[in-house]
Amino acid sequence: MRLSGVLFALALPAQAGETDWPAFGHDASNRNYSELTQIDRGNVARLRPAWMFQTGVTGYFQAQPVMVDGVLYLSTTQNNVAALDPKSGKVLWTYLHKPRTEKIFGPPSNRGVAVAGGLVYQATMDGRVIALDAKTGKVVWDHEAVRPEEGETETASGLADKLGGKPVQGSSRLGFKMPPLVAEGLVIVGVTGAGYGLHVEDASGGLDGGAVVGIEGGYGRRGWLAAYDAKTGEERWRWYVTPSEGWEGGFVDRTADGIPLHRDIAAEKTAAGANRDAWRVGGGSLWMTPAYDPALGLLFLGTGNPAPQNFGLTRPGDNLYTMCLVALDVHTGTLRWYFQQVPHDEWGYDVAAPPFLLDGPNGTKAVASASKTGWIYVHDRQSGALLSRSEPLIKQKNLFVPPSPEGTVVSPGPLGAVSWPPTAYDGHLAFVQVRHAATTYTVNAVPAAPGRPEIRYTETGVAKGEPSFSTLTAVDLNGGGKIAWSTRSESRLSGGTLATAGGLVFSGEEDGHLDAHDAATGKILWRFQCGAGISGPAMTYAIDGRQYVAVAAGGSSFTQSSGFGTGDSLVVFALPD
């Protein structure tokens, strides 16, 4: 059924025997795991579409639905929201979003809503946090948190000529992609778009195809996470990724886990005096929903790359607190601890995937972070101490070797080993979609001219002759981070994973297949072609004794370059009656 402005009858009261999916990642642990067992290894081959909902909005359909009190809630690329009957897909109400500006960061996308206390919360690409009545879809409050173009220091005008006619995208614009987290009466959400600045667009549509990024200079923005009163929308606190004092850190020559960084620290320190205000435009986008431990009152959040992207001499130092897993006090936003995975990043290795909570060694309460660099890190939740690091998920090459004029081949590239799609964890194994690909980072320059200094920038391109593929990989986090199994995919994996107590792992592919794997072996037990690329995580719920699996199919951000089509559908599966 197409999304429309017509309001249908209100949802009926919740029926007995239902099991909800109440929040992104299933709950505040972010484990993307369900205890439901009706669909299992033995019968998943019989799984069939039960119903389908067409939103009428094609594009990067990245949302994970939420099911609360017998109603399924779904957001679209354009920040529309629909409330659906979870048994039939019947539309109960719709909210049609009217953006206040078309100046947003990147292609439009939204990764989901949060539902709590009778309200549906959404953070939008045009910088608003909105609360809707869960029964009617009517706006309860609408808070403008940021105007996307606010604070732009430079536009793209004139730079195309300076960079040999290459198309230049304007400086960073702030907006929201992540599903909000609702905790302690607060709606918590962070901005994307902070870590880019001016860059040259990639004509082929993706970083793997040769994007030119990281023009030297102060063109970025300052990332932040904020908490809003769940009843009124009033801002309660805001935490900035880049602090006004101390963002240079210690000019470390190794990562916290001992990997050499190959930095020219002497050159950075020489440049520090002229760049003391670099923190003001220092980047640090926030891509995905925090995990939350109510017993400790702590939020766990990954932060993005510093700005300007890939070119670091104008931002000397470690660039705190970009590229970190951080713990914040939920009531005040105060920083409790941080672990910086990549000080002074020059490769685009955002800590993008949502952290997830688990029980660590000897009963330790832990938090894990799957990284773009190719490891899963496990930390003590209270102190941040590194408890363990998994085996490498990919074959790393020239890790942390900086871009060079002759071109440096580095694996992983800026898409990482693990990007923003969530990891599923079943209490034993973590199931992660892993990208295996190398990138060539090349430093280029436009010579100085009268009235204009030299302009330096970093160009990224496909590393010729290097392998490029995806795997679904299971990591035993209770067994020292050993890889339990790894299955190579026929196309690029995207959207993240879902694990269930039925012994299954669901994983989406760019070519439109949703796959069900045996959680113990990785063997594919079932596949279905959804008609468009999967770029959001699947979820599962049960109502009236029947289990369903739902996934959005709208194409991926690489659809054009890969040749796969776009779509607009939520596809919902169940076993035959």
Side-chain angles (χ1 to χ4, degrees), residues 227-250:
Y228 303 90
D229 188 288
K231 293 182 178 179
T232 67
E234 181 181 354
E235 185 174 313
R236 294 302 186 194
W237 56 256
R238 182 179 294 200
W239 176 75
Y240 284 97
V241 176
T242 61
S244 57
E245 295 184 6
W247 105 296
E248 297 87 354

Side-chain angles (χ1 to χ4, degrees), residues 270-456:
T270 299
N275 294 279
R276 296 195 185 281
D277 289 336
W279 61 270
R280 296 182 182 275
V281 289
S285 290
L286 305 174
W287 294 105
M288 288 305 295
T289 308
Y292 173 54
D293 182 338
L296 295 176
L298 291 181
L299 304 166
F300 304 97
L301 176 74
T303 66
N305 62 267
Q309 183 187 23
N310 297 101
F311 203 88
L313 204 56
T314 58
R315 47 174 173 83
D318 299 342
N319 309 143
L320 299 175
Y321 296 100
T322 66
M323 316 306 290
C324 288
L325 179 68
V326 301
L328 306 178
D329 185 292
V330 69
H331 299 290
T332 64
T334 303
L335 179 70
R336 296 302 186 199
W337 57 258
Y338 73 92
F339 180 90
Q340 191 170 34
Q341 292 182 7
V342 188
H344 193 73
D345 172 79
E346 296 190 82
W347 306 271
Y349 290 149
D350 314 71
V351 184
F356 58 97
L357 306 185
L358 69 158
D359 293 330
N362 302 316
T364 305
K365 296 300 181 183
V367 57
S369 172
S371 72
K372 279 191 172 184
T373 54
W375 291 288
I376 298 178
Y377 296 91
V378 180
H379 301 265
D380 182 282
R381 288 184 216 169
Q382 188 161 16
S383 69
L386 183 63
L387 301 175
S388 64
R389 191 187 71 182
S390 73
E391 292 182 333
L393 306 177
I394 65 167
K395 184 177 180 180
Q396 296 154 327
K397 182 175 184 177
N398 292 331
L399 192 61
F400 305 137
V401 175
S404 62
E406 62 274 14
T408 303
V409 175
V410 179
S411 177
L415 295 178
V418 185
S419 190
W420 71 265
T423 301
Y425 178 69
D426 69 359
H428 174 59
L429 297 176
F431 305 98
V432 60
Q433 294 177 328
V434 182
R435 175 89 171 121
H436 302 250
T439 295
T440 300
Y441 293 81
T442 305
V443 176
N444 291 320
V446 177
R452 175 181 57 73
E454 178 185 64
I455 299 174
R456 292 180 294 177

Side-chain angles (χ1 to χ4, degrees), residues 31-33 39-41 44 422-426 429-433 472-475 485 493 496-508 514-526 538 549:
R31 292 181 184 177
N32 279 277
Y33 174 75
I39 302 169
D40 61 22
R41 293 185 183 98
V44 69
T423 301
Y425 178 69
D426 69 359
L429 297 176
F431 305 98
V432 60
Q433 294 177 328
L472 179 66
T473 299
V475 182
W485 52 259
L493 296 179
T497 54
L498 161 70
T500 75
L504 298 172
V505 181
F506 291 89
S507 174
L514 179 65
D515 306 326
H517 296 255
D518 187 315
T521 66
K523 180 182 177 181
I524 294 180
L525 303 176
W526 169 88
V549 174

